[in-house]
């Protein structure tokens, strides 16, 4: 995965202008079906960070210039929603302090890190969290074992997040199984409707 990750994230990590960095970051994204495990968001984020650090594209600090973040909790006062993506960068006029920069209509807006609601790294994100977003290129990675979450709807959603190119890494047998499996929703509504009133 090293060449793919370096190619996908190198350009945005060289940008120090927040607007250009945010725009460049949306050109490539790694999508995963699961949150945990080596092929889940947590494992892929860790792998991406390790490879980028080894290549000298990011610093050794816990928080560093270029770190992409995904907001995981709504904060109405700050106008941040679960799923919003930002990047940690210094202000071009005052490079000593990192700020969180988020897209906005006119120009990116910056927020102090101490004010942010819960967040996580965002080199990789789940297909579910990516709904409503589009990226120029997507690397979609499915787990190497079967889980009920692997459905044709999940694969379709992941593939359609790419505007120009999608690369799918999956076990062929599991991919075939996933494309035959439909999402089954069990809301309990049917049972509630047919239950006799007492």
């Amino acid at each position: 995965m090293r060449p793919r990750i370096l190619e996908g994230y190198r350009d945005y990590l060289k940008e120090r202008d927040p607007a250009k960095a945010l725009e460049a970051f949306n050109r490539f994204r790694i999508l995963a079906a699961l949150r945990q495990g080596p092929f889940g968001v947590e494992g892929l984020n860790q792998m991406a960070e390790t490879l980028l650090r080894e290549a000298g594209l990011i610093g050794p600090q816990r928080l560093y210039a270029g770190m992409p973040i995904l907001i995981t909790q709504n904060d109405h006062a700050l106008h941040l929603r679960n799923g919003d993506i930002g990047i940690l960068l210094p202000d071009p006029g005052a490079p000593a302090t990192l700020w969180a920069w988020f897209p906005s209509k006119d120009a990116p807006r910056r927020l102090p890190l101490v004010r942010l609601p819960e967040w996580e790294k965002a080199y990789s994100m789940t297909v579910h969290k990516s709904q409503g977003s589009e990226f120029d290129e997507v690397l979609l990675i499915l787990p190497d074992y079967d889980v009920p979450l692997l459905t044709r709807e999940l694969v379709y959603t992941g593939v359609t997040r790419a505007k120009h190119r999608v690369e799918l890494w999956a076990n062929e047998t599991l991919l075939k199984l996933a494309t035959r499996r439909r999402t089954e929703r069990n809301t309990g509504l049917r049972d509630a409707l047919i239950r006799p009133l007492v």
Side-chain angles (χ1 to χ4, degrees):
M1 285 188 58
R2 180 187 308 270
R4 195 68 193 95
I5 288 174
L6 297 184
E7 176 191 341
Y9 290 130
R10 179 182 286 117
D11 289 344
Y12 107 84
L13 284 166
K14 291 182 177 179
E15 281 292 346
R16 286 301 171 252
D17 176 87
K20 291 179 181 176
L22 285 163
E23 180 184 342
F25 184 65
N26 276 332
R27 293 183 191 143
F28 173 74
R29 196 61 40 85
I30 302 168
L31 298 182
L34 306 175
R35 286 205 42 76
Q36 298 177 334
F39 300 111
V41 168
E42 292 173 4
L44 292 168
N45 275 330
Q46 186 175 17
M47 179 192 303
E49 196 170 51
T50 299
L51 295 173
L52 293 168
R53 191 164 278 135
E54 288 172 355
L57 292 169
I58 60 175
Q61 306 87 345
R62 189 178 68 81
L63 301 175
Y64 51 85
M67 178 186 279
I69 63 171
L70 174 76
I71 299 297
T72 59
Q73 180 182 18
N74 293 334
D75 187 319
H76 301 294
L78 293 177
H79 304 288
L80 289 174
R81 294 186 319 265
N82 183 1
D84 284 352
I85 291 178
I87 295 178
L88 304 188
L89 283 172
D91 189 306
T97 304
L98 284 178
W99 296 81
W101 297 84
F102 293 91
S104 183
K105 285 187 179 180
D106 298 323
R109 62 191 186 105
R110 69 177 199 177
L111 295 169
L113 303 188
V114 296
R115 296 271 324 272
L116 295 179
E118 295 291 319
W119 57 270
E120 60 190 35
K121 292 173 192 160
Y123 293 109
S124 174
M125 60 195 303
T126 62
V127 171
H128 174 73
K129 285 269 188 187
S130 74
Q131 291 185 65
S133 300
E134 282 189 323
F135 312 100
D136 291 350
E137 298 184 13
V138 163
L139 173 57
L140 176 58
I141 299 179
L142 300 183
D144 59 347
Y145 58 92
D146 187 29
V147 290
L149 187 66
L150 290 179
T151 64
R152 69 186 333 173
E153 290 85 359
L154 179 126
V155 173
Y156 174 82
T157 300
V159 167
T160 57
R161 298 308 91 204
K163 291 192 271 187
H164 302 297
R165 178 177 177 229
V166 65
E167 192 172 327
L168 176 61
W169 289 21
N171 172 291
E172 185 177 347
T173 302
L174 288 175
L175 179 60
K176 287 179 181 177
L177 179 66
T179 56
R180 287 193 297 263
R181 182 185 291 147
R182 294 182 150 266
T183 300
E184 290 185 23
R185 303 200 186 282
N186 185 4
T187 63
L189 180 61
R190 179 181 176 275
D191 293 339
L193 292 173
I194 61 173
R195 190 177 311 135
L197 295 174
V198 179

